[in-house]
Amino acid sequence: MNLDQFSNTPFKLCISFHKLIEHYEDVAATQTGYVAEQAKVILKEIEPHPELRDGIDDFAHLQENAEVLTHLLSDIFPQALTENEIKAITVPFQDFLFNPTKRFQKILKGAGPKFDIGIRDFNDHQLYVQSCCLILEDFYGQHFDFSKPFFYDIPTANGIMKHYRILYNADFMEIIPTEKAVKLTPEDIDLLRDNFDDLDLWKRLFPVGSWTLKGFALINLFDATVENAVSALKGTLLSVSYNNDVYESILSVFRSIFRLPDLKIGFTTFNPDENKFGLATFNAKLKSYLLSGQEDELCANMMCVQSFADLVDKKKYFAISDVKRYLENEPDNVLAQRFDEEGIQSFILGPVVKNDHLLGIIELASDNKHDLNSINANQLEIVMPFMTDTIDRQYTYMINQVRAVIQKEYTTIHPSVYWKFQREALKYIEFHRQDKDYTLKEITFKEVYALYGQIDIKGSSDTRNLSVQLDLKDQLNALIPLLEKLQPYFNDALPVEWIENLRSMAGDLQLPLRADTEQLIQNYLDIHIDPLLKKAVDQQLPEASAVNNYLMETGQTGEFHEHRKMYETTVAMINEKMSTLLDRWQTKAQVSYPHYYERFKTDGVEHNLYIGQAITPNRIFDIRDLYNLRLWQIQVQCQMEYEHNRIKHTLPYPLNVTSLILAFSLPISIRFRMDEKRFDVDGTYNARFEIVKKRIDKAFIKNTTERITATGKLTIVYSNKAEEKEYRNYIHFLQSKKMLEEGIDMLDIEDLQGISGLKALRVRISYEILEERKLYTYNEMLEHIKNGVYTVS
């Protein structure tokens, strides 16, 4: 059998042991003693077999030299480890094996004669490109990071699927060009970088058999079944639909982890209001072995107090390895009786506890005694965090459904999505007219594109702290002289220490304001000072008029709130102006293509936009509609910046603002949260959008203390080259229209919690000729490109 039949790649395979032979020659020539003598023995033995050095291209020749090769490879395949290591001779990414260790042989034998070994999720296209990447790195010094974990999925004799991580060692291989090899130019290499999917291009630049792969590789496997199963479980649990297929996937994962081909899994819910166990409603296949066919039952009827306390309070697993023997000692135990009636002879119960509340109990069961026990019960610790979060999400889902049934009215709904709420409400009304039950379905929109932007008031926290300091200084400076005048009338009721404490507080206000300073001062005044001042008024002391004037100024409209009022007025004016402008431009944008829009006022104005076919099913969605909205968003951010720059001098505090946009290319799903009366991203996979947008506004440029946002500049955060290219085109277009100034800052963003690799474009906004006007569309931008006004970057 010719080895090249394994290789539909650029490589002509030549199995050679020349590097290993050269190693032995070096040992024999330069060393002494046993090691050198052993090397000479091996060299003498292989001397009649020059093909081992020159190369073998037929698998049969390898088999003919098996005994000699065993001796040659003895240092690499020590007999002492053959029962432990999973190792063989191979060529990277090929599925033929030679000289496997005894443990490897046993694994393959257990899989059966019909088993055909192959790398998981690795097709011919990937094989070809991966082989070319080896050449690019080894011969051209170009690093193409196409590495990913490789796995063999090999069943055991009893049907358990084991997962083995593949590690290659290519120290004994070299790559040699043939006369058919194409000499690559830097332009060819750049072309390859952007064309993974163009297999014809790869084959043209790396023809089949144009390079010789000479030598051999070592393949080492290690059992990654548990780690792989946990990874698979996490992926499965992210599924939005918990159908029967998902149940089978979860069951398969548990069987792999516990290495029990007939393992059964069940789940029993817990109702704390009624103190009852019940059936799981989110998957019909999840039976309850505890309930044994009943819909629900009081916990006290099934479990003794101690067992229940261990499960809930101590979060301990409860295991019985031999049900029948357990019943001999505890014949009245209802729990064991239920499992025995189901034919279960060993089981584990695992409490699902979230925030100290029992959600339910996972049940693992086996028909064989000793399969499950208190020892392997600890395997549950690997998966319980994911199972707990998943079941908690299911409970949240059910609670929302219940609220939806009770809820007769939704909150104010944006016109773009009103149709879906209306359709669901009409179904609900129609069913109830017929005296039928109907549960309002959750409102979701899948495969929509999200846009996020914000105008943030720069330094708002510092300005607020300053305004508080100034007000408190004014108040204490007025209060202390007043108390000094009152002190003779009150004597011990107004200790001198109180006045000194106030002086100390006034001194503290010369320093940066601490988080609790305002509250501490206010509490001190409320407890110690204000009652005395009111008594002074009631007793009509000579200073009563001055006290009355002081108390009037402490009110919300008084002089001692003047600076805080200025700050609050500034924030309110900025927010109102920005919101009004954004709302007005939004109304016009809806005409182009209807989309969901919401905004929030904080220390600035944030907005979310969602666009896609799911939101407007009666119109065909084109990706250009998304591009048009992104271009619109940039221009509106510029308009809001311009408007703020125009009114800034009229504000009580001339605060600056910063602008930020998040580029996010992946479509996501959103759902209406009944509890918060708003839309939110749906599912863990989609949560990245929310996580990123909550953390980027305070982010720093990598390796600096400079914020990514800056006054007078628009910052666009992105994560990949495609987003960079798209937004650079928008920027260049708007620079040509003098809405943005020339030049772009290319920024790397510091790693945030759970997020890394973000980048940003930052460009200065032009205030010179920018004024409110018609905004440009994406088609107009394309027309400018067509006319050669500027070129696409």
Side-chain angles (χ1 to χ4, degrees):
M1 181 171 53
N2 192 294
L3 291 176
D4 283 334
Q5 72 174 330
F6 288 102
S7 180
N8 180 25
T9 71
F11 293 128
K12 179 178 177 62
L13 299 182
C14 179
I15 302 297
S16 167
F17 301 89
H18 64 291
K19 287 198 171 187
L20 184 57
I21 293 170
E22 290 167 1
H23 165 72
Y24 281 123
E25 288 173 340
D26 181 65
V27 170
T30 61
Q31 298 186 30
T32 60
Y34 174 78
V35 174
E37 291 303 318
Q38 186 65 21
K40 291 175 183 177
V41 170
I42 292 173
L43 291 171
K44 184 169 182 150
E45 185 177 3
I46 66 170
E47 192 174 344
H49 304 281
E51 66 272 17
L52 298 182
R53 183 193 297 268
D54 299 335
I56 298 171
D57 60 6
D58 194 306
F59 192 76
H61 291 166
L62 284 175
Q63 299 288 11
E64 291 170 3
N65 291 287
E67 184 176 351
V68 176
L69 286 172
T70 300
H71 297 154
L72 178 62
L73 298 167
S74 58
D75 283 351
I76 302 174
F77 289 82
Q79 282 298 308
L81 298 178
T82 190
E83 296 285 357
N84 179 269
E85 292 185 323
I86 312 172
K87 187 160 67 173
I89 296 294
T90 189
V91 172
F93 320 124
Q94 303 292 338
D95 297 325
F96 82 89
L97 305 168
F98 176 72
N99 198 49
T101 59
K102 287 185 178 180
R103 184 180 176 192
F104 204 163
Q105 294 176 43
K106 289 178 181 178
I107 290 171
L108 294 175
K109 183 178 180 181
K114 294 184 179 179
F115 175 71
D116 186 15
I117 195 168
I119 299 174
R120 180 207 302 167
D121 299 331
F122 195 59
N123 57 36
D124 290 342
H125 185 147
Q126 292 171 319
L127 169 62
Y128 207 97
V129 175
Q130 180 77 74
S131 300
C132 296
C133 288
L134 289 178
I135 300 170
L136 286 165
E137 179 147 356
D138 184 77
F139 196 81
Y140 289 96
Q142 299 290 324
H143 181 59
F144 279 59
D145 188 8
F146 184 39
S147 59
K148 69 172 186 176
F150 294 111
F151 291 91
Y152 282 144
D153 301 322
I154 306 176
T156 63
N158 58 6
I160 293 293
M161 185 61 71
K162 303 290 288 293
H163 309 285
Y164 296 93
R165 175 76 180 270
I166 301 170
L167 298 176
Y168 290 113
N169 182 335
D171 289 347
F172 300 97
M173 302 201 71
E174 60 179 324
I175 298 172
I176 306 167
T178 71
E179 67 280 357
K180 293 169 57 179
V182 177
K183 187 175 181 179
L184 301 185
T185 65
E187 290 75 19
D188 292 330
I189 294 173
D190 288 340
L191 189 61
L192 291 168
R193 289 185 198 278
D194 297 324
N195 287 281
F196 170 83
D197 294 324
D198 191 348
L199 186 57
D200 290 337
L201 172 65
W202 289 89
K203 287 190 173 183
R204 176 167 60 81
L205 297 179
F206 297 94
V208 174
S210 59
W211 293 76
T212 297
L213 190 62
K214 184 178 181 181
F216 69 92
L218 295 173
I219 181 172
N220 283 273
L221 307 184
F222 73 85
D223 190 341
T225 298
V226 173
E227 295 85 348
N228 207 263
V230 171
S231 178
L233 179 66
K234 286 192 284 187
T236 300
L237 294 180
L238 289 175
S239 170
V240 176
S241 174
Y242 288 83
N243 53 32
N244 292 339
D245 291 339
V246 172
Y247 167 80
E248 295 295 343
S249 298
I250 294 173
L251 180 59
S252 175
V253 168
F254 272 90
R255 286 175 173 175
S256 291
I257 292 173
F258 283 86
R259 304 183 183 185
L260 297 173
D262 300 317
L263 181 71
K264 301 173 183 178
I265 186 170
F267 183 75
T268 302
T269 64
F270 173 65
N271 182 343
D273 296 326
E274 301 182 60
N275 201 33
K276 283 184 176 182
F277 287 130
L279 295 172
T281 58
F282 47 82
N283 192 295
K285 276 201 169 186
L286 268 178
K287 69 175 292 182
S288 168
Y289 294 96
L290 281 173
L291 294 176
S292 190
Q294 301 184 61
E295 288 189 4
D296 56 44
E297 189 166 355
L298 287 170
C299 301
N301 294 345
M302 298 179 55
M303 302 183 72
C304 68
V305 175
Q306 185 58 48
S307 297
F308 186 79
D310 285 345
L311 276 172
V312 182
D313 300 332
K314 299 181 182 178
K315 302 180 182 66
K316 289 175 61 177
Y317 305 127
F318 182 78
I320 295 179
S321 62
D322 189 336
V323 172
K324 290 194 179 297
R325 188 179 67 181
Y326 187 87
L327 282 172
E328 290 174 3
N329 299 322
E330 301 279 350
D332 297 326
N333 188 286
V334 176
L335 181 65
Q337 288 174 2
R338 292 282 173 84
F339 279 95
D340 189 46
E341 290 168 3
E342 295 278 348
I344 303 302
Q345 292 309 304
S346 61
F347 66 85
I348 297 171
L349 302 181
V352 180
V353 180
K354 184 78 171 181
N355 299 327
D356 293 325
H357 296 293
L358 179 68
L359 302 179
I361 297 173
I362 288 179
E363 308 159 353
L364 302 182
S366 173
D367 294 341
N368 304 314
K369 64 181 181 180
H370 303 151
D371 275 357
L372 299 168
N373 50 68
S374 63
I375 306 300
N376 61 10
N378 291 284
Q379 294 272 47
L380 274 174
E381 292 183 4
I382 302 170
V383 298
M384 282 304 288
F386 312 115
M387 294 297 296
T388 299
D389 287 343
T390 300
I391 292 169
D392 182 50
R393 287 198 302 272
Q394 286 300 300
Y395 272 88
T396 302
Y397 174 81
M398 287 189 294
I399 290 169
N400 286 339
Q401 290 293 343
V402 170
R403 289 176 179 173
V405 173
I406 298 171
Q407 190 88 23
K408 296 296 182 183
E409 296 180 4
Y410 294 99
T411 187
T412 302
I413 302 300
H414 191 263
S416 63
V417 295
Y418 181 81
W419 62 271
K420 197 162 190 175
F421 288 85
Q422 182 184 51
R423 185 176 67 181
E424 195 64 17
L426 288 173
K427 287 182 183 178
Y428 179 82
I429 294 169
E430 185 62 29
F431 270 70
H432 278 262
R433 282 178 179 171
Q434 301 174 28
D435 293 326
K436 295 180 181 178
D437 291 332
Y438 182 77
T439 302
L440 286 168
K441 295 180 177 62
E442 192 168 70
I443 304 298
T444 62
F445 296 92
K446 299 182 178 180
E447 296 291 309
V448 298
Y449 293 90
L451 293 84
Y452 170 76
Q454 67 167 225
I455 290 279
D456 186 55
I457 300 175
K458 186 175 177 63
S460 58
S461 296
D462 292 339
T463 305
R464 185 193 181 280
N465 288 342
L466 177 62
S467 67
V468 170
Q469 275 182 289
L470 292 173
D471 283 340
L472 290 177
K473 283 181 186 177
D474 291 344
Q475 184 174 355
L476 293 182
N477 289 338
L479 176 61
I480 292 171
L482 181 60
L483 291 177
E484 288 175 337
K485 294 178 181 178
L486 292 173
Q487 208 277 332
Y489 299 104
F490 289 103
N491 293 320
D492 293 340
L494 178 54
V496 175
E497 289 82 357
W498 288 9
I499 298 175
E500 291 303 316
N501 288 340
L502 292 175
R503 284 199 178 97
S504 176
M505 292 177 187
D508 289 342
L509 291 173
Q510 304 301 322
L511 303 173
L513 192 71
R514 298 196 308 269
D516 59 347
T517 299
E518 182 181 8
Q519 190 63 46
L520 286 174
I521 293 175
Q522 193 58 55
N523 287 343
Y524 193 89
L525 296 179
D526 290 343
I527 295 170
H528 298 290
I529 307 303
D530 288 356
L532 284 174
L533 296 178
K534 291 174 183 176
K535 187 180 290 187
V537 173
D538 293 339
Q539 294 178 0
Q540 296 185 347
L541 297 178
E543 306 298 330
S545 176
V547 172
N548 264 327
N549 290 337
Y550 166 84
L551 292 174
M552 288 179 60
E553 298 303 334
T554 62
Q556 291 294 319
T557 59
E559 183 178 301
F560 302 142
H561 281 268
E562 186 64 30
H563 296 96
R564 276 172 281 191
K565 283 189 296 182
M566 290 171 60
Y567 165 78
E568 291 162 1
T569 300
T570 299
V571 172
M573 288 177 67
I574 293 174
N575 284 349
E576 186 61 28
K577 196 68 180 178
M578 299 301 99
S579 298
T580 301
L581 186 63
L582 184 60
D583 290 346
R584 186 164 73 248
W585 281 110
Q586 244 298 301
T587 302
K588 298 176 181 178
Q590 293 290 340
V591 176
S592 175
Y593 193 92
H595 53 275
Y596 182 78
Y597 159 67
E598 60 184 2
R599 62 163 171 79
F600 311 95
K601 292 180 182 179
T602 52
D603 285 352
V605 177
E606 302 176 41
H607 66 270
N608 290 321
L609 308 172
Y610 299 105
I611 187 171
Q613 188 69 67
I615 291 177
T616 315
N618 59 346
R619 287 181 59 172
I620 296 175
F621 173 75
D622 188 278
I623 197 66
R624 290 190 179 192
D625 296 313
L626 170 63
Y627 299 156
N628 192 60
L629 192 60
R630 287 174 174 169
L631 179 61
W632 170 91
Q633 183 187 36
I634 295 173
Q635 294 177 87
V636 169
Q637 291 284 122
C638 293
Q639 294 286 359
M640 289 192 290
E641 280 267 6
Y642 170 79
E643 184 63 19
H644 173 266
N645 188 66
R646 189 181 66 81
I647 67 169
K648 184 171 69 173
H649 70 281
T650 67
L651 299 173
Y653 283 122
L655 298 179
N656 291 312
V657 297
T658 60
S659 291
L660 176 71
I661 286 174
L662 171 61
F664 197 84
S665 298
L666 296 175
I668 65 173
S669 297
I670 59 173
R671 65 183 176 94
F672 187 81
R673 292 182 60 93
M674 293 297 297
D675 51 347
E676 298 182 14
K677 304 299 183 190
R678 67 179 184 85
F679 276 98
D680 199 359
V681 294
D682 187 26
T684 306
Y685 174 79
N686 298 311
R688 177 177 169 83
F689 172 73
E690 285 293 329
I691 293 171
V692 172
K693 80 177 190 182
K694 287 176 181 177
R695 296 177 181 170
I696 54 174
D697 62 326
K698 304 300 182 187
F700 293 95
I701 300 173
K702 200 164 190 175
N703 300 324
T704 74
T705 57
E706 181 185 354
R707 300 274 191 195
I708 61 171
T709 55
T711 302
K713 293 185 177 182
L714 172 64
T715 301
I716 301 171
V717 175
Y718 66 95
S719 59
N720 59 60
K721 282 289 185 182
E723 291 169 349
E724 177 191 329
K725 181 178 180 181
E726 179 184 345
Y727 278 87
R728 282 174 68 95
N729 285 335
Y730 299 147
I731 291 171
H732 289 321
F733 172 67
L734 296 178
Q735 285 174 332
S736 73
K737 295 298 180 182
K738 306 303 181 185
M739 294 181 74
L740 298 172
E741 293 186 5
E742 293 299 319
I744 302 175
D745 298 330
M746 307 293 294
L747 310 177
D748 289 324
I749 301 176
E750 66 172 356
D751 290 346
L752 307 172
Q753 182 182 355
I755 305 166
S756 61
L758 293 179
K759 297 178 181 296
L761 304 171
R762 196 168 67 182
V763 59
R764 184 168 294 281
I765 297 167
S766 174
Y767 298 117
E768 296 298 322
I769 63 171
L770 185 63
E771 58 184 12
E772 191 169 321
R773 57 187 177 186
K774 169 186 172 294
L775 302 184
Y776 297 102
T777 66
Y778 182 72
N779 284 336
E780 288 174 318
M781 186 184 91
L782 293 181
E783 190 65 27
H784 275 256
I785 295 173
K786 181 180 178 181
N787 294 334
V789 176
Y790 77 99
T791 57
V792 178
S793 63

